[in-house]
Amino acid sequence: MKVEELIAIVPDYLQANPTALSAEALNALDQILEALDTVEVERTRADFVNWLRTYRDERDRLKFYAEANREVGQQSPAPESAEAKTLQNYFQTARQVRCNQSPNPDRQDPQDMPPQT
């Protein structure tokens, strides 16, 4: 599966599975998204590839989701100039979804936990 396909499915994946990624993986992905406006598209793509290599469990779940939700049929390739804009749009959508996610209900803030006796 191509990296571009995985990038394209990230926003849908995060909406469908808001707690599927670990906090560490989400933070790393958020750092990639934060740098989106200041780095070149190829650098962002390379950072995402590194993220996929680092967070293999998350990558595998993302790939499984992408394969299960792949559109049937062939799409014609986008012009090269449109690729950069498309990549940026996918990451901006993923960032927006990430910002709108509710915190994991299974995790409690240590300050909210009762004192141990």
Side-chain angles (χ1 to χ4, degrees):
M1 176 166 288
K2 293 182 178 182
V3 172
E4 290 76 13
E5 291 176 287
L6 292 176
I7 290 170
I9 201 77
V10 167
D12 292 337
Y13 179 68
L14 291 175
Q15 277 187 322
N17 305 298
T19 59
L21 302 180
S22 69
E24 183 180 338
L26 282 172
N27 287 334
L29 185 59
D30 199 36
Q31 287 177 353
I32 294 170
L33 298 176
E34 285 177 14
L36 185 63
D37 294 331
T38 59
V39 298
E40 296 176 3
V41 173
E42 281 304 311
R43 172 62 192 242
T44 302
R45 185 182 187 284
D47 289 345
F48 186 73
V49 168
N50 287 334
W51 183 89
L52 292 170
R53 289 180 182 149
T54 302
Y55 299 99
R56 292 178 182 205
D57 290 340
E58 284 82 356
R59 176 202 61 202
D60 292 344
R61 288 192 297 266
L62 181 62
K63 286 174 80 172
F64 179 79
Y65 180 84
E67 289 171 1
N69 292 285
R70 181 180 275 175
E71 291 183 21
V72 178
Q74 296 292 333
Q75 296 180 352
S76 59
E80 204 170 297
S81 62
E83 182 180 344
K85 185 161 181 65
T86 302
L87 181 63
Q88 186 172 13
N89 288 340
Y90 286 138
F91 272 116
Q92 286 175 344
T93 303
R95 172 183 255 171
Q96 185 177 22
V97 169
R98 169 78 172 100
C99 290
N100 292 336
Q101 283 183 346
S102 60
N104 187 341
D106 297 333
R107 296 183 187 153
Q108 283 188 328
D109 188 353
Q111 295 175 0
D112 295 338
M113 297 178 73
Q116 294 180 349
T117 55

